[in-house]
Amino acid sequence: MKQRRILSLWFPRLGAERFLRLERGLPPRAFAVVGEEHNAQVLVSLSVEAEASGLRMGQPLRDARAMCPELDTKLRNRDLDAAFLAVLRRWAAKFSPWVSEERPEGLVIDLTGCAHLFGGEMGLIGEVEADCAHLGVSVRVGVADTVGAAWALARFAGGAGVDAARTGDDINQEARATRSRAAKRRHWVKGGPAPAVTAPEVLRKMQIASPGATRSALAPLPVAALRLEDDTVATLVRLGLRQIGDLAGQPRAALARRFGRHLVQRLDQALGVEPEPVSPARPAVRFAVRLTLPEPVGLIEDIAAAIDRLLTPLGEKLSRAGRGARQVRMECHRSDHTMQVVEIGLARPSASADRIRPLLLMKLDDIDAGFGIDMIRLEARATEPVHSHQHRGHAAAAADGAARLGSEAALDDLIGRIGARVGLESITRFHPADSHIPEKTALIVAAAWAGPADAWPRPGMLRPSEIWRPEMVHAEETSDLPHRFRWRGRDLELCAGLGPERIAPEWWLDDPDWRSGVRDYWRVTTRTGERLWLYYGHGGTMSRGWFCQGSFA
């Protein structure tokens, strides 16, 4: 059985280099990607020139501007970064079919039985670095027997990524201005020792752990290489456990009691004691088409013509898969590398261009063409199976079924057009509920995701057209229908009454509105013309008495 080998790829400048790849050929400059963290703008990705200027990850933008006034910045876009990582995952499939993403900046590849196809692990790493250099992406690699060990070597082998927590307990963390060590900390350009530079060949060997040598390869690495939280790393450093070798010799039970099960699990995963599988991303089934335009356009007529050309191939893709679009997204990519997006929803899944086109045309006014649109993309974001209907039997029955389907399609189209304006979630319809309580006999559901009810149960007596929460009626506390009563500050006199209809509460539920016990409902007509729905509560956890709960039209 072959020894399992894992390759970890880390792209430390993924966010910044995604922007820089769009500007190839321009002079290099200090560039950074800015993100929002704790209500402050901080640097989340840096170019090589920005790092050479002394900037660091997590630094506030205002401080970075003071250190490097010529710094160029862009806002972070997590969705585009994730899409770029997915592109790199598809590229990495050339080395092995077993590739998994480690967001936001990493890939994990199971190389078992694949490295010999590229001349061994050294040859494979050389090809990875050559491809990434051609793509304009920085990469660091690590190869080991486990996922955790490969992750640690890719980020910390050769001293990269070492940034121990400053606790003040270590003499090596003494302030730079301390007089006792000021002479020993002279900059290398002023006579101090030159920084150590690791040769590429030596660094590459340090990033590869030989089969069975995982423990010795991880021993000199800092404890942060175990994928631990920052607070846990700071506590370990303060206790003097700075390297994985210091931690590996400690009793597992004591570590679990002090730091929790997570620390022991990460250590065992890195050393191969606990398995950690590589789960490749499932290939996404996409229904998308795009049209690249020779010249930027901005007129609504031009965009509508592009939609007409795209809907036909999109419908063909959906029909071949037996699917119908529920949600369609249109992306209009502008010439200034920005994008305008509109989305529409359908009340019933469909692959027909005639049902999708009117909804998209209603959204064209929301698109700002700017300096022009040079690419339009349509994607069915949400799809559902669509089954063909075949009518058998008598011709009249088939005609009735076709008419019914046609009327439902017209209603669904109407719901889709209204939903394009106000949102599909704002359109609701009633469905029968499984309850004998009058106010619980109907459910409110989204009209776009639920068809009309087949049949409604008929109650024993007529229900009022308007039902509200029970309101107190002042009358004699007897179960006999009162001839006079007071309701909403008015004295009313009985003209006619029909009932009673006895309804018992749902004993398995504690409904606050039904704590009055069993109810006797009456349809009452007063001499002034009101038609009310009164009931007498026989008493439960609440006192007995008369209440009004509805009104008949």
Side-chain angles (χ1 to χ4, degrees):
M1 183 177 179
K2 289 185 176 293
Q3 177 72 30
R4 188 182 186 219
R5 300 294 285 170
I6 303 296
L7 168 65
S8 177
L9 301 182
W10 178 40
F11 307 100
R13 304 183 183 93
L14 183 70
E17 289 172 341
R18 181 181 65 81
F19 285 101
L20 296 177
R21 289 178 73 252
L22 303 176
E23 303 174 357
R24 285 188 175 183
L26 297 179
R29 68 190 190 283
F31 178 79
V33 178
V34 179
E36 192 85 13
E37 292 184 4
H38 305 292
N39 296 326
Q41 288 188 324
V42 298
L43 307 183
V44 296
S45 185
L46 303 173
S47 66
V48 177
E49 293 76 17
E51 290 184 353
S53 301
L55 305 182
R56 56 181 175 80
M57 297 280 289
Q59 185 178 14
L61 179 60
R62 60 180 183 275
D63 298 344
R65 292 285 190 190
M67 295 177 58
C68 184
E70 65 277 8
L71 178 67
D72 186 14
T73 61
K74 294 283 188 181
L75 292 177
R76 174 172 56 183
N77 190 321
R78 297 180 185 271
D79 294 336
L80 292 181
D81 289 344
F84 186 38
L85 185 63
V87 172
L88 294 175
R89 172 178 56 81
R90 292 194 294 270
W91 156 78
K94 65 182 286 188
F95 304 107
S96 171
W98 219 254
V99 184
S100 174
E101 295 182 13
E102 273 201 345
R103 295 185 179 182
E105 297 175 337
L107 296 175
V108 177
I109 307 172
D110 193 337
L111 289 181
T112 307
C114 300
H116 69 281
L117 301 175
F118 302 89
E121 293 176 352
M122 293 290 289
L124 186 145
I125 291 178
E127 186 164 348
V128 168
E129 294 175 345
D131 287 354
C132 289
H134 177 71
L135 294 172
V137 178
S138 302
V139 65
R140 286 183 59 87
V141 300
V143 181
D145 296 340
T146 64
V147 175
W151 189 95
L153 293 174
R155 290 158 176 80
F156 293 90
V162 177
D163 186 17
R166 299 187 63 85
T167 63
D169 299 334
D170 190 356
I171 191 63
N172 294 323
Q173 296 179 355
E174 189 177 355
R176 293 184 180 275
T178 304
R179 294 183 179 180
S180 62
R181 299 181 59 86
K184 300 180 182 179
R185 288 178 173 167
R186 300 182 65 183
H187 196 271
W188 67 276
V189 299
K190 298 180 179 179
V197 179
T198 306
E201 295 79 7
V202 178
L203 178 60
R204 189 174 299 175
K205 291 182 180 179
M206 297 175 63
Q207 292 172 334
I208 300 179
S210 302
T214 301
R215 182 178 291 268
S216 59
L218 293 179
L221 300 184
V223 291
L226 292 177
R227 300 173 289 177
L228 303 175
E229 295 82 0
D230 294 338
D231 294 341
T232 304
V233 172
T235 304
L236 291 172
V237 171
R238 188 162 53 249
L239 295 176
L241 302 174
R242 297 180 176 84
Q243 297 179 342
I244 297 179
D246 302 333
L247 196 62
Q250 301 298 320
R252 293 291 195 273
L255 290 176
R257 285 195 302 270
R258 178 64 179 82
F259 299 98
R261 175 73 179 88
H262 183 67
L263 171 62
V264 178
Q265 181 185 27
R266 287 302 192 188
L267 181 60
D268 290 343
Q269 287 176 345
L271 298 178
V273 178
E274 182 174 335
E276 185 176 4
V278 176
S279 302
R282 186 176 182 179
V285 179
R286 295 185 179 274
F287 300 96
V289 291
R290 69 177 182 180
L291 177 63
T292 303
L293 304 172
E295 293 291 339
V297 300
L299 299 178
I300 292 181
E301 293 79 7
D302 297 334
I303 301 176
I307 292 174
D308 292 337
R309 294 187 60 180
L310 290 173
L311 283 178
T312 300
L314 178 63
E316 292 175 353
K317 285 187 175 183
L318 292 169
S319 298
R320 285 194 297 268
R323 312 283 295 186
R326 267 287 197 173
Q327 184 180 15
V328 179
R329 173 188 175 103
M330 182 173 68
E331 302 174 357
C332 296
H333 295 259
R334 305 194 303 191
S335 55
D336 58 352
H337 303 296
T338 59
M339 181 175 62
Q340 294 283 301
V341 177
V342 296
E343 293 186 355
I344 58 101
L346 288 87
R348 175 176 293 186
S350 175
S352 173
D354 296 333
R355 299 187 62 187
I356 300 175
R357 183 179 185 275
L359 303 180
L360 290 175
L361 295 182
M362 294 174 63
K363 290 285 190 176
L364 293 186
D365 292 335
D366 300 338
I367 297 176
D368 181 11
F371 295 103
I373 297 171
D374 53 15
M375 197 265 282
I376 298 177
R377 182 173 182 268
L378 289 182
E379 180 184 2
R381 300 292 298 274
T383 62
E384 293 182 6
V386 175
H387 305 286
S388 299
H389 295 273
Q390 182 176 4
H391 299 284
R392 300 178 182 274
H394 197 271
D400 293 341
R404 183 175 64 256
L405 290 175
S407 61
E408 292 179 2
L411 178 60
D412 292 337
D413 292 340
L414 176 61
I415 293 174
R417 288 194 297 271
I418 299 176
R421 295 293 186 187
V422 301
L424 289 176
E425 65 279 357
S426 302
I427 307 174
T428 59
R429 62 167 32 124
F430 287 103
H431 262 228
D434 187 12
S435 177
H436 67 280
I437 303 298
E439 59 267 29
K440 296 182 180 180
T441 55
L443 296 176
I444 299 177
V445 298
W449 312 108
D454 295 332
W456 283 81
R458 298 183 63 87
M461 295 185 66
L462 182 65
R463 293 288 181 257
S465 57
E466 185 179 2
I467 296 179
W468 52 74
R469 295 193 64 178
E471 299 178 357
M472 179 70 72
V473 172
H474 297 281
E476 296 181 5
E477 292 188 2
T478 62
S479 58
D480 298 331
L481 187 62
H483 292 281
R484 291 181 177 84
F485 56 92
R486 185 175 180 84
W487 172 66
R488 291 185 178 179
R490 300 169 56 198
D491 294 323
L492 302 175
E493 186 176 352
L494 178 67
C495 178
L498 180 63
E501 177 188 6
R502 176 160 293 188
I503 299 179
E506 296 172 329
W507 55 266
W508 58 93
L509 297 177
D510 184 17
D511 190 345
D513 292 336
W514 276 80
R515 292 176 179 173
S516 57
V518 178
R519 299 178 179 179
D520 290 337
Y521 280 89
W522 293 79
R523 291 170 54 190
V524 172
T525 303
T526 66
R527 293 195 178 276
T528 53
E530 290 88 350
R531 301 180 62 201
L532 304 177
W533 203 37
L534 304 184
Y535 74 82
Y536 178 76
H538 288 267
T541 57
M542 293 177 58
S543 301
R544 64 182 65 188
W546 285 92
F547 298 85
C548 180
Q549 195 178 355
S551 172
F552 295 88

